[in-house]
Structures are given as structure tokens and as C-alpha cells.
Amino acid sequence: MALGLPTQLATRGTLHHHHHNNNSRTATTTVLSWRWTLTPDALLIPSSSTSLTTKKSHVQQMVTCSASGSVQAVNLSPGTPVRPTSILVVGSTGTLGRQIVRRALDEGYDVRCLVRPRPAPADFLRDWGATVVNADLGKPETIPATLVGVHTVIDCATGRPEEPIKTVDWEGKVALIQCAKAMGIQKYVFFSIHNCDKHPEVPLMEIKYCTEKFLQDSGLPHITIRLCGFMQGLIGQYAVPILEEKSVWGTDAPTRIAYMDTQDIARLTFIALRNEKVTGKLLTFAGPRAWTTQEVIALCERLAGQDANVTTVPVTILRFTRQLTRLFEWTNDVADRLAFSEVLTSDTVFSAPMTETYNLLGVDSKDIVTLEKYLQDYFTNILKKLKDIKAQSKQTDIIF
């Protein structure tokens, strides 16, 4: 059956988040009110019918992202059973996504990667043995074809810095979850951000929290995994600039982040995926220790054997910059991303106790890579390579 989906699957919405204030007597209890319209019949029109837009008879149905709303979508699961090893990874070229793909292939899964059409194709995914399918979460009509024959969706996608957060992280995810529900996907793994429910002032965190709720209400069997931070991100941010003697940007924020190696995140994700007790649960993955920016820089300096050229930006300035950028329409997204700095000022510890999660998954905490070990391996390798390059250039000097 050809799924002539969405000219009808229009997403639209405005976001209102109201906090409970337990101290005040008049607590507001308004729900998240993202809304869009979905026509379930649109999912059922055979390919021979006239185009969707000419069908006036469809009843538009409102769906609200609230704890009470449920997603009314038609289950089109076909007669042929889908192999549990068949997975679709969304966001497969990202820092976490590529590790999810590698791990899945190593463990014998049949991996399909949803990748946006791009001038430089993601050949490395094909080289590893994955199937690459082109689709764009910003264009809902491209999604259904990628889900045919898929058992599990693993969603690690986040919009690129240069595009509006709402397009991929809200509207795209809504369409993806709607399609997954309609096509009978049997498990959906969603990666979210730790403490996203506590920071409605940060757009990306607010949207992640909204998506968590929406996924819960969809009735899809799912696992939500909240993450604190990736060790991989520290290489470009601190390690490389220190080695190249370039300026390192830090803040004076007291925030501590429990970074985790994305390879560990991927390993634990597949353990969770195979454990039926975990379905429907919200897990938080945090690294063994929470670090401040200053501590990370000091560790890199020690391992690199050289001092960093640190430019410290007071968080108050980041905050001020955000208020300034708010005045200019075209830099709204920059302002949204700077909002993370407001989380930084609130002395948050981005970490969570892991004992319960380790027990649930049957994982030994000793097998989780520490930041010291991760960075030590990185610097040992890179310094050895630099030494080899120097040695080779010396040899060539002798020859010529």
C-alpha cells in the first residue's frame, strides 16, 4: 500500500508551559498546549485514489500535547511479522547517532539510517554496513517510506545550530511519532536532556520535555533516556584548542556536568532495549563524576603537558548578550541557544545517581569509562601521532 501521507499532516503549535507553585495557594495547572491536526483517514487512502488535497470530507482531529490527550492514529501494521533486529536510527550522523549505529551493527542488528539528502552523503554509514535512506523530518511526507519493515526506532536527532529549533525538534518529532504509531512501530527510543522538565526557559529543553509527554501519550511502547553531556564534545571544545595553543572559552559558572562516553551510552541503550522491564520507563544516564568547566580545562592541561590560553566569559555577560540578541528578529535562535547559559548560572549539577539504573540493566559501574581515562587515551594517542609525524619529517630532512 502506498501511504499518501501528509499534505494533511500539518503541524502547527504554540507552546505554553506553566509551572506548579506549591507554595502559592492559587497554583496554575495549565497543560502544555502544543496542538496540530492529523487526519487519520489520510493514512488509509490507497495509491489509486485522487490526491489528498481534493478530499474535502476528512474530519480534522485536534491532538493536544497534554497528559490527558492520546494520539488517535490508525494502526496499519501489516500481516508479515517484522524482525525485532530491524531498527531505524534517526540522527545517525551525529555524535551519539554514529555510536548507536556502530554498536547496533556490532551486535548483529539490521540497521537503517534516516539521513537528510545532502551534497556530501554519509558514506561512512554505508561503509560500516548500514542501509541509508533519505528523508527529512521537516517534510513529514518523506517519513512513512523509511519506516516500512522497521521494528524499533532509535531517535537521537537534534536540529542543526543554524536552523529553527521548532522545525526538527518539535514539528519533525511529532510527525515521526505520529507515523511510527500509525505504522505499528513496536518500540521507540527517545533521547532527551536531563532536568528538561525543570527548565522551561530554555527552548530546546522545553521542547524535549514536551516530546517526552507526547510520546508517553501516543501509546507507543517506548523508552526515554535523558542524557547529561558527551565526553566526545570536550575534544573540540577544550582538547584540540589546548594542543593547538588556541584560545579556550570557558565560563565562571559553578555548573557540574557528569559527561559520559557516547560508546557507553550506546552500549547501555541496547541493554535497555532488550530488557522488557525497561519499556515505558524514563532512565537518566550520567557519567561517573560531575565536572566544572575549570576542572575539565585543568585535566586537559595536565594530560597535554601544557597550559591553556583560557578566555573566561562571565555568565552574566552571556545573559546580557541573550537579552540583546532578543531585540533582533534574525538572531532569535542564537538567543535560544544562549539560554543554556541561564541554566549554567543556577548552580545546577547535571548528574544523577546511577545505582538503580545499573542494577536494572545488570551493568557494572566499573565498566563505565571515566573522563580521566577517556581524555588520557585521547591525549596519549594524539601526542604519539604528533611525535611520529615529527620523527618522519626529521627523517625526510636527512634524505634530501
Side-chain angles (χ1 to χ4, degrees), residues 109-385:
Y109 285 87
D110 186 10
V111 184
R112 191 182 298 178
C113 300
L114 187 154
V115 173
R116 284 191 249 204
R118 55 171 76 192
D123 287 339
F124 70 95
L125 296 169
R126 285 195 191 89
D127 296 344
W128 291 350
T131 307
V132 174
V133 290
N134 277 337
D136 188 338
L137 293 187
K139 297 177 182 155
E141 69 279 6
T142 64
I143 300 170
T146 67
L147 294 170
V148 176
V150 168
H151 180 280
T152 299
V153 171
I154 301 182
D155 172 7
C156 350
T158 289
R160 295 178 188 144
E162 70 274 10
E163 60 197 352
I165 285 179
K166 224 173 82 177
T167 314
V168 170
D169 290 292
W170 175 254
E171 290 159 5
K173 295 302 174 86
V174 163
L176 179 60
I177 293 166
Q178 290 283 28
C179 291
K181 173 72 178 170
M183 293 179 67
I185 294 297
Q186 291 171 55
K187 204 172 270 184
Y188 192 105
V189 180
F190 175 62
F191 288 104
S192 186
I193 301 174
H194 179 46
N195 278 351
C196 61
D197 49 330
K198 297 188 180 67
H199 293 285
E201 76 282 8
V202 180
L204 183 60
M205 292 175 102
E206 167 70 322
I207 284 173
K208 287 280 189 193
Y209 183 54
C210 251
T211 311
E212 285 184 6
K213 296 247 76 45
F214 178 61
L215 182 57
Q216 215 173 337
D217 298 339
S218 72
L220 264 175
H222 67 280
I223 302 169
T224 297
I225 300 171
R226 288 184 181 177
L227 305 172
C228 297
F230 304 150
M231 289 181 184
Q232 277 66 13
L234 299 174
I235 300 299
Q237 220 173 341
Y238 304 115
V240 172
I242 289 174
L243 287 169
E244 293 182 348
E245 298 178 14
K246 289 190 176 140
S247 195
V248 175
W249 294 84
T251 66
D252 54 358
T255 314
R256 298 181 166 275
I257 299 174
Y259 300 100
M260 198 169 186
D261 185 346
T262 51
Q263 292 188 9
D264 280 333
I265 296 172
R267 185 169 63 90
L268 297 193
T269 298
F270 284 100
I271 293 171
L273 193 58
R274 289 188 290 268
N275 184 336
E276 281 311 315
K277 287 188 298 205
V278 178
T279 305
K281 279 199 170 26
L282 169 66
L283 302 176
T284 300
F285 288 175
R289 183 190 147 183
W291 299 74
T292 63
T293 301
Q294 297 91 315
E295 288 170 340
V296 173
I297 292 172
L299 179 61
C300 289
E301 288 178 317
R302 185 166 63 75
L303 293 168
Q306 62 196 73
D307 289 345
N309 172 13
V310 186
T311 307
T312 303
V313 184
V315 171
T316 40
I317 287 183
L318 282 177
R319 228 190 209 160
F320 177 64
T321 317
R322 178 173 182 234
Q323 279 155 1
L324 272 183
T325 54
R326 271 273 178 244
L327 304 172
F328 304 105
E329 209 37 50
W330 69 88
T331 53
N332 253 351
D333 268 354
V334 179
D336 285 347
R337 286 166 202 275
L338 277 173
F340 273 117
S341 64
E342 302 199 354
V343 177
L344 295 177
T345 54
S346 56
D347 198 352
T348 323
V349 177
F350 261 68
S351 182
M354 288 290 287
T355 319
E356 212 178 305
T357 307
Y358 289 146
N359 291 343
L360 176 69
L361 301 179
V363 169
D364 189 339
S365 60
K366 289 201 290 292
D367 296 335
I368 302 296
V369 174
T370 62
L371 186 61
E372 292 97 331
K373 171 91 177 79
Y374 176 80
L375 286 174
Q376 192 173 359
D377 289 352
Y378 171 79
F379 279 107
T380 308
N381 282 332
I382 206 87
L383 293 170
K384 186 182 176 301
K385 278 188 184 132

Side-chain angles (χ1 to χ4, degrees), residues 28-106:
T28 50
T29 54
T30 330
V31 292
L32 301 165
S33 58
W34 271 103
R35 303 191 307 165
W36 62 96
T37 53
L38 166 73
T39 317
D41 324 19
L43 299 170
L44 291 168
I45 298 173
S47 51
S48 57
S49 78
T50 49
S51 88
L52 290 175
T53 39
T54 58
K55 295 257 177 184
K56 297 274 193 308
S57 61
H58 294 316
V59 184
Q60 293 271 308
Q61 176 176 357
M62 297 305 289
V63 189
T64 11
C65 173
S66 72
S68 55
S70 64
V71 180
Q72 304 292 315
V74 195
N75 193 335
L76 299 183
S77 32
T80 19
V82 172
R83 287 198 312 279
T85 50
S86 166
I87 65 171
L88 175 74
V89 181
V90 185
S92 50
T93 55
T95 309
L96 175 61
R98 59 184 63 202
Q99 297 298 345
I100 294 283
V101 172
R102 282 219 80 137
R103 185 83 209 178
L105 290 166
D106 288 350

